C-alpha cells in the first residue's frame, strides 16, 4: 500500500503535487478544477484558500470528495441587485 510522502502547491505550474512512497506522483491542475467547479469569485476564493493553506485537504476534496457540494455549503453568494 502506498503512503503519501508529500503534498504541496507548485506555484510555477499552478498544480497541487502529491508524492507517494511507491514513487508515483499525482498532479492536480488547480486552474482546470476552478474552471470546472467554481461558478463565482467566492467559490474560487475558497478553493484558493485551501490550495495555499492546506493543499492536502484540497487534494482530498478533489480526489475523494464532492467539490461542488462543498462549495455550495461554505460560500454565500449574494448578487448586488
Amino acid at each position: 500500500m502506498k503512503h503519501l510522502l508529500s503534498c504541496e502547491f507548485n506555484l510555477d505550474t499552478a498544480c497541487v503535487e502529491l508524492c507517494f512512497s511507491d514513487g508515483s506522483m499525482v498532479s492536480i491542475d488547480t486552474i482546470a478544477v476552478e474552471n470546472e467547479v467554481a461558478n463565482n469569485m467566492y467559490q474560487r476564493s475558497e478553493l484558493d484558500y485551501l490550495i495555499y493553506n492546506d493543499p492536502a485537504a484540497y487534494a482530498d476534496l478533489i480526489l475523494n470528495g464532492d467539490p461542488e457540494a462543498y462549495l455550495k455549503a461554505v460560500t454565500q453568494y449574494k448578487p448586488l441587485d
Side-chain angles (χ1 to χ4, degrees), residues 3 5 7-10 15 18 20 23 31-32 39 45 49 51 58-59 61 70-71 77 79 81:
H3 299 282
L5 296 177
C7 178
E8 58 187 33
F9 177 65
N10 184 335
C15 294
L18 296 91
F20 294 94
I31 295 171
N39 298 322
S45 176
Y49 177 82
I51 290 166
Y58 175 84
L61 174 67
Y70 170 78
L71 290 172
Y77 175 62
D81 291 334

Side-chain angles (χ1 to χ4, degrees), residues 1-29:
M1 180 171 190
K2 57 186 176 182
H3 299 282
L4 182 65
L5 296 177
S6 69
C7 178
E8 58 187 33
F9 177 65
N10 184 335
L11 191 58
D12 295 330
T13 62
C15 294
V16 171
E17 298 173 340
L18 296 91
C19 296
F20 294 94
S21 60
D22 66 352
S24 63
M25 290 184 66
V26 173
S27 182
I28 302 170
D29 184 349

